[in-house]
Amino acid sequence: MEHENGSTRRVQRLKCCVQNYDWGRIGTQSGVGRLFSRNSGVEIDQDKPYAELWMGTHVSAPSFLVDILENDGNFVTLEKWIQQNPNVLGDKVVQNWGTRLPFLFKVLSIRKALSIQAHPDKRLAEILNNANPNTYRDDNHKPEMVIAVTDFEALCSFITFEELKVVLQDVPEISVIVGTAYTEQVLNVRKQDEQEKGKAVLQSIFTQLMSANKEVISTMLRSLIDRLMDEKKARILTSKERLVLRLQNEYPDDVGVIASLFFNYVKLDPGEALYLGANEPHAYIYGECIECMATSDNVVRAGLTSKKRDIEILCSMLTYNQSFPEILKGVPINSNTRRYTPPFDEFEVDHCILQQGASVIFSAQPGPSIFLVTSGNGTMHSETGDIVSEGDVLFAPASTEISVTAASELHLYRAGINSRVF
C-alpha cells in the first residue's frame, strides 16, 4: 500500500459503481450505462436499468483507485486511501469534516419517477441511523443539487395556498379521500393568516392524504383518471393533469399520484440547476442530470415507490415551505466554465465545455476535487499528462492545479468543496 509520497500529490483515476434501480433508463439509452461501461470496461446489458453512477466514498457504492493496490492485489477504496493519507483533503476540510470526503458526486438517468421523498437533517439522520441502520445507512444529512444534462422534470416543495385552493376545488376526489373538514380548513385560511396558521393546516391535510386507506386511494384515483380522460376530449389538459396520467401509468393507484398535485412541477433546461435542503419534499420525474450532495444515502420515502415507506416520519419532518424553488443558471468563472454554488458548505460543481484545441486551468483548491468527463477526449495535466476521455473519473488532491486541453469537444464536471468554506 502506498502512503504519503508522490502518490498523494497525483491525480488518481477512479473505478466507480453503478446502481441499477428500476426507475433507471434501460441499456444504452442510459447515459449512466454508457459512462459506467466506459469507466469500468463492463459491457452494457441491454435489458438492465442503469440509474445512478456514484463517485465518492459512500459504503453503498464506493469508488476504487485503479493505480494503487492492496497487499492482496485488490484495488484500494478511495475512502481507505483518504483515511491513510488525510493530507489529500487539505487542512480546512480535515478540520471541518475529519478524514472523510464531505461530498458524493453522481450521474442520474431517469426513465420514470423516483419516489416522493425527503432527506433528514443531521439530528434526525443520527436518530434514524441509530434506530434502523439497515434502512438509514449513515448518520449524515443530505443537502443536494441537480444540474440538468437533458430537459429535466421534478416535483419540489409545496405550492402556494392560492394554488392549493384551486387544486382542492378542481379535484373533488381529494376531499373524498381526506374528508371535507380538512379541505375546508385549507379553503378557510385567509391570506393574512397564512404565516400564522398555514404550515399546521398544510401539514394536517397532507398527512391525512398520505395516510389514507389504499382502497379509497385506488377508487378515487380511477375516478380522477376517468374524468381527466373524458375532459381530454373537450379541452387541452394542464401540464399537471398530464403528469397525473403519466404517474398513474408508472405507479398505478399510488397515493403519490394524487400527492403530486400538492407540489411545484419544475422543468429545467439543460444547464439549469435546482438545490434541495434537508426536509424538503421532492421527486425527480424524468431526464438526465449531474447530482452532488453531502456524503449520505438517507432517504425517507412516502409515495411513487415499491421500497419501504416511512409516511409518519416524512410527514412530521417536512418544512412545509410553500414557494417555487430557486433555479441556478451557474456563474461564469472563465470563458469555458460555469460554477454552481448552492448554500451548502460540502460542495459546489463546475461545468466546463472545451472546443477542440482549447485549454483551461483549474486553479489549485484548498480542498479535494472529483472530475468527470462526460464526452470528448483530451489531456489532463497535473504533475504528469494523462489522456482523458468519456467515462473517466479522477480524484484531484487538495492544492493541485489542473490544466485540461481538448483533442475534440470535451465536456467535464468538477465537484469540490464550496469555495465559501475557504
Side-chain angles (χ1 to χ4, degrees):
M1 178 89 193
E2 293 189 57
H3 289 282
E4 295 199 18
N5 52 29
S7 74
T8 65
R9 294 190 295 273
R10 291 202 313 268
V11 171
Q12 296 290 343
R13 288 180 181 269
L14 301 180
K15 189 180 287 286
C16 302
C17 290
V18 73
Q19 301 281 22
N20 303 103
Y21 306 136
D22 66 359
W23 49 259
R25 291 188 175 180
I26 307 296
T28 51
Q29 295 176 349
S30 170
V32 164
R34 296 192 300 272
L35 289 171
F36 171 68
S37 180
R38 293 293 298 267
N39 177 265
S40 64
V42 175
E43 193 173 332
I44 295 173
D45 183 336
Q46 295 298 345
D47 298 321
K48 187 182 269 190
Y50 291 87
E52 297 186 356
L53 181 72
W54 287 32
M55 299 162 281
T57 57
H58 197 280
V59 64
S60 294
S63 298
F64 299 85
L65 276 66
V66 301
D67 295 326
I68 299 179
L69 300 179
E70 296 271 28
N71 293 331
D72 61 7
N74 291 320
F75 294 123
V76 65
T77 65
L78 177 61
E79 179 184 31
K80 184 172 182 180
W81 184 70
I82 287 173
Q83 287 176 347
Q84 296 183 341
N85 303 287
N87 62 307
V88 302
L89 296 179
D91 293 342
K92 191 69 178 282
V93 174
V94 173
Q95 179 185 324
N96 284 9
W97 292 284
T99 59
R100 69 179 184 181
L101 187 68
F103 61 85
L104 177 59
F105 203 21
K106 295 183 183 180
V107 186
L108 274 60
S109 291
I110 302 165
R111 174 178 53 90
K112 67 175 188 175
L114 283 68
S115 53
I116 292 174
Q117 59 184 259
H119 307 302
D121 58 29
K122 190 78 170 72
R123 185 187 64 81
L124 180 57
E126 289 169 354
I127 293 169
L128 294 175
N129 173 247
N130 187 56
N132 191 353
N134 290 329
T135 300
Y136 302 102
R137 301 284 301 277
D138 57 77
D139 62 0
N140 202 18
H141 66 166
K142 192 188 175 189
E144 66 186 27
M145 175 175 68
V146 294
I147 303 170
V149 174
T150 65
D151 291 342
F152 192 82
E153 301 171 50
L155 296 170
C156 178
S157 304
F158 289 96
I159 56 178
T160 65
F161 259 103
E162 188 178 341
E163 292 168 312
L164 182 56
K165 287 175 180 179
V166 172
V167 168
L168 295 178
Q169 288 163 343
D170 289 351
V171 187
E173 291 83 1
I174 295 175
S175 287
V176 178
I177 294 169
V178 301
T180 53
Y182 287 91
T183 306
E184 291 298 324
Q185 260 192 325
V186 174
L187 295 175
N188 291 334
V189 172
R190 296 178 301 174
K191 187 77 177 169
Q192 61 265 37
D193 297 331
E194 286 178 8
Q195 194 116 17
E196 182 187 346
K197 299 178 181 176
K199 289 193 179 186
V201 170
L202 178 57
Q203 180 171 355
S204 181
I205 190 171
F206 183 71
T207 303
Q208 187 72 5
L209 173 66
M210 299 307 289
S211 309
N213 177 282
K214 287 182 180 179
E215 288 182 10
V216 174
I217 291 289
S218 179
T219 301
M220 287 300 100
L221 254 177
R222 286 169 191 173
S223 166
L224 172 58
I225 298 303
D226 288 346
R227 185 165 57 76
L228 289 178
M229 294 305 288
D230 282 343
E231 292 185 17
K232 191 177 177 183
K233 298 168 188 171
R235 64 177 176 88
I236 297 173
L237 298 182
T238 67
S239 60
K240 241 343 181 14
E241 289 170 332
R242 294 195 298 273
L243 177 62
V244 165
L245 295 180
R246 275 171 58 192
L247 294 177
Q248 171 68 2
N249 191 48
E250 292 175 358
Y251 296 94
D253 299 345
D254 190 296
V255 65
V257 178
I258 291 183
S260 69
L261 294 167
F262 281 57
F263 303 120
N264 295 297
Y265 185 20
V266 182
K267 296 182 180 182
L268 301 180
D269 293 327
E272 292 184 328
L274 172 72
Y275 64 82
L276 296 151
N279 304 325
E280 287 294 342
H282 60 282
Y284 301 145
I285 301 297
Y286 185 80
E288 303 215 337
C289 69
I290 300 293
E291 187 178 35
C292 200
M293 64 204 66
T295 301
S296 173
D297 192 31
N298 283 326
V299 182
V300 183
R301 300 178 181 87
L304 304 180
T305 184
S306 58
K307 295 182 179 179
K308 175 179 167 58
R309 303 178 186 216
D310 279 323
I311 291 168
E312 187 178 343
I313 293 172
L314 183 108
C315 292
S316 65
M317 70 189 272
L318 298 180
T319 62
Y320 292 97
N321 287 334
Q322 291 179 276
S323 60
F324 198 83
E326 181 182 1
I327 306 300
L328 300 179
K329 308 278 189 180
V331 175
I333 57 172
N334 57 49
S335 60
N336 308 107
T337 310
R338 300 185 78 82
R339 175 163 293 169
Y340 299 84
T341 307
F344 315 124
D345 287 350
E346 286 88 346
F347 59 90
E348 65 187 16
V349 177
D350 294 339
H351 179 206
C352 178
I353 302 174
L354 287 177
Q355 299 305 315
Q356 183 175 357
S359 297
V360 69
I361 292 176
F362 291 88
S363 58
Q365 300 289 317
S369 299
I370 291 179
F371 289 85
L372 163 69
V373 180
T374 54
S375 68
N377 57 80
T379 307
M380 180 178 284
H381 296 273
S382 52
E383 292 195 347
T384 59
D386 291 309
I387 303 298
V388 293
S389 60
E390 179 182 339
D392 281 343
V393 181
L394 305 106
F395 177 88
S399 306
T400 306
E401 182 181 271
I402 304 291
S403 65
V404 181
T405 302
S408 64
E409 183 176 310
L410 186 144
H411 292 238
L412 65 81
Y413 292 84
R414 179 197 74 90
I417 308 300
N418 195 313
S419 300
R420 72 181 188 174
V421 170
F422 309 113

